Amino acid sequence: MADIVTLKALCEELKLDPREARERLRAAASDAKANPELAKARKPRTPWQWVKGSAAEREARTVLAPQSN
């Protein structure tokens, strides 16, 4: 079975608030042109999780990466 990366694990790793992370992921997944893999992987009413090393996980990490202001 493939390793699964959950939103909880990403939030702990990146030191993010899960609520803020979900908001950012929802916004990114709604823009299918900018984040096609994230949009394909999103299933409503299911936990945010990805196969380790997948394109969708990479897009999620990019969306959740700390933004420099």
Side-chain angles (χ1 to χ4, degrees):
M1 187 171 161
D3 289 339
I4 300 293
V5 177
T6 63
L7 179 61
K8 181 179 179 181
L10 277 180
C11 286
E12 289 173 0
E13 179 182 327
L14 300 172
K15 296 174 180 50
L16 289 173
D17 175 41
R19 179 175 286 175
E20 179 188 338
R22 286 191 303 273
E23 288 174 8
R24 287 165 60 180
L25 285 169
R26 279 193 298 269
S30 68
D31 185 4
K33 284 189 176 183
N35 303 297
E37 294 300 322
L38 197 57
K40 278 193 268 183
R42 178 66 188 135
K43 293 176 182 58
R45 303 234 179 244
T46 60
W48 286 99
Q49 59 187 16
W50 308 272
V51 175
K52 188 175 185 115
S54 69
E57 182 206 0
R58 287 192 294 278
E59 283 184 7
R61 285 183 181 275
T62 303
V63 168
L64 296 176
Q67 299 168 345
S68 58
N69 291 340

